[in-house]
Amino acid sequence: MRNWRSAAGTLTLTVCLLGAGCGAAPTTPTPRPGPRPTITPPPTEGRLLFVSNAEGGGLTISELKDGLQSPRPLWTGIPGRLDGDRQPIGPAIAVSADRKRAMLITASFEVVIVDLSSGGFERVPVPAGGAIESAYGVFSPDGRRLAFVVTEKEGTKARLYTRDLAAGKSFTLYQAPCRTYSGSGESRLICGGFDPPVWIDETTLAYGAYVGDMPKEVFITKNATWVQSPGPNRYIVTGFDGTAARQSTPNGYFPTENNGRTVVGDGFWMEASDLKAGVTITHALAGRYPRLSPDGESVVQDIDGKWHVTALRTGVDQEVGYTDIPSLLLCHEFAWSPGAKAIACRDSNPRIPEAQNTLWVLYLDTRAVRRITTPPLQYLLAWVPDVP
């Protein structure tokens, strides 16, 4: 699943530059050889699926498995085009927990649901009112429902929708309030802030949002190049159809991932049952950018620039990463193997084209790292089991 956070349509990326030996005599560092950029045989467990634009139009899903030196086309004719420049970081992609369905939000911001066993697809209408700036989606734990956010360009107006895939019904859960402000000779429409949703269980989800009237004043820089939108002031737990909604005041945390049992956020984890009940009992994590394991028992997190696997309920921690692989912050394409024994990671930022050609595979049990070279703009879709 692709994991990036957007607040009112703006993705914030923090980069830290670390140096050593400040104030000391200059030294000549010993070069550390990196892995050679060659095609490496894919992992033996399951198949890696990729999605890319087809030459004649539409989308192609390709597979990479044992016996193949590069991805080969599996299904073609899926509608839409992917354009990384239209999204903050690559296209919006989500995969259901059972790895049977994938969601693609195309360059024209159409939602397409793909069956990963047959290549069949379903188009989902997006009832947005204006030109869309970004989009994000996530499946419910049982894969039967979808929550997706679209953010319009003007004023970064965010809207949250859900979709019951079996019934074919969509629901509008949230639309950001907006107001026009003037400053430095400019007028601009500003809307309330929003945090993407996470599912608590099969029918309940939670999200952070600004609720109520917009403030009388907001900060606007000269030429209105930057504004300070009011951040979320409520944390909302609701049914997928908008019923049984409950609001609370944010308390400095927001979950980014949930598997129905465990909820994680940047620097903390908690029981999903507590979140649903409105009980705030969080447990601190030593690292950042956690990625929750499929069983909800552990996370991969960044501690001092290294990858660590941490068992949440026992606290057992093991360093598994190396400096050759990207920071977890930059893993815009991320997938667990079917047996959760390996992780695939790639930076899909179109502004860093060389990173798009390298898919890193980290084996947690042996700490081995493989480097797989793939064509550019061929996005990692899912890591699925072998065909029966």
Side-chain angles (χ1 to χ4, degrees):
M1 163 182 178
R2 172 174 308 271
N3 191 318
W4 53 273
R5 295 191 55 189
S6 175
T10 301
L11 185 72
T12 303
L13 183 65
T14 304
V15 180
C16 296
L17 301 179
L18 303 181
C22 296
T27 59
T28 302
T30 301
R32 186 176 187 274
R36 293 183 298 173
T38 57
I39 295 176
T40 307
T44 57
E45 181 189 3
R47 302 172 296 142
L48 293 166
L49 299 184
F50 299 84
V51 61
S52 60
N53 293 321
E55 293 185 2
L59 299 171
T60 295
I61 293 180
S62 304
E63 68 172 352
L64 181 62
K65 61 181 182 179
D66 279 344
L68 300 178
Q69 292 299 306
S70 62
R72 71 177 180 186
L74 190 60
W75 302 304
T76 59
I78 298 171
R81 302 287 290 177
L82 301 179
D83 185 353
D85 291 335
R86 294 286 300 276
Q87 287 274 42
I89 299 177
I93 296 175
V95 178
S96 60
D98 59 10
R99 305 170 198 249
K100 294 181 179 180
R101 284 175 166 170
M103 180 219 68
L104 304 171
I105 299 182
T106 67
S108 59
F109 296 100
E110 181 179 32
V111 177
V112 180
I113 308 297
V114 182
D115 186 323
L116 295 182
S117 62
S118 66
F121 60 86
E122 170 194 358
R123 287 171 164 167
V124 176
V126 179
I132 300 175
E133 174 69 22
S134 63
Y136 169 86
V138 61
F139 282 94
S140 61
D142 60 1
R144 299 178 60 185
R145 297 173 181 89
L146 179 69
F148 57 98
V149 180
V150 293
T151 304
E152 298 176 19
K153 288 184 177 180
E154 184 179 10
T156 61
K157 181 187 295 183
R159 304 185 187 192
L160 169 63
Y161 305 98
T162 55
R163 177 82 171 179
D164 188 319
L165 298 175
K169 294 183 179 180
S170 296
F171 304 89
T172 301
L173 297 191
Y174 173 79
Q175 179 172 326
C178 302
R179 182 174 179 175
T180 300
Y181 297 88
S182 299
S184 301
E186 300 281 346
S187 294
R188 183 165 179 176
L189 181 70
I190 307 299
C191 301
F194 180 78
D195 283 319
V198 293
W199 288 90
I200 299 177
D201 57 28
E202 287 78 5
T203 61
T204 311
L205 67 159
Y207 60 94
Y210 185 88
V211 177
D213 296 332
M214 293 289 287
K216 293 183 179 180
E217 297 180 350
V218 298
F219 179 77
I220 304 178
T221 60
K222 186 177 181 180
N223 299 324
T225 56
W226 184 82
V227 297
Q228 185 175 355
S229 299
N233 60 359
R234 290 291 183 272
Y235 192 73
I236 302 173
V237 177
T238 178
F240 75 94
D241 56 358
T243 59
R246 173 175 52 81
Q247 299 184 13
S248 61
T249 303
N251 51 9
Y253 74 92
F254 185 79
T256 57
E257 198 174 355
N258 171 56
N259 72 342
R261 181 186 179 191
T262 311
V263 179
V264 298
D266 196 7
F268 76 92
W269 73 275
M270 64 185 300
E271 302 288 351
S273 58
D274 288 342
L275 179 63
K276 184 176 182 179
V279 179
T280 306
I281 303 177
T282 59
H283 309 274
L285 292 173
R288 302 196 65 188
Y289 323 122
R291 304 298 177 94
L292 186 62
S293 64
D295 63 3
E297 290 297 322
S298 62
V299 294
V300 175
Q301 60 178 329
D302 182 291
I303 300 179
D304 297 329
K306 299 291 183 65
W307 287 30
H308 285 244
V309 173
T310 306
L312 297 176
R313 291 168 176 85
T314 65
V316 176
D317 180 85
Q318 180 184 10
E319 180 183 315
V320 295
Y322 299 90
T323 56
D324 289 332
I325 58 179
S327 164
L328 279 167
L329 172 65
L330 301 178
C331 283
H332 305 136
E333 297 177 36
F334 184 93
W336 289 86
S337 68
K341 296 180 180 179
I343 298 170
C345 161
R346 180 165 62 175
D347 181 358
S348 63
N349 191 335
R351 296 169 180 81
I352 312 176
E354 61 274 12
Q356 292 182 310
N357 301 338
T358 301
L359 181 72
W360 301 93
V361 177
L362 171 64
Y363 295 84
L364 300 179
D365 52 355
T366 63
R367 300 176 61 180
V369 177
R370 275 183 161 175
R371 183 177 183 178
I372 299 175
T373 302
T374 63
L377 297 178
Q378 192 167 56
Y379 297 96
L380 176 62
L381 181 61
W383 197 338
V384 300
D386 287 317
V387 177

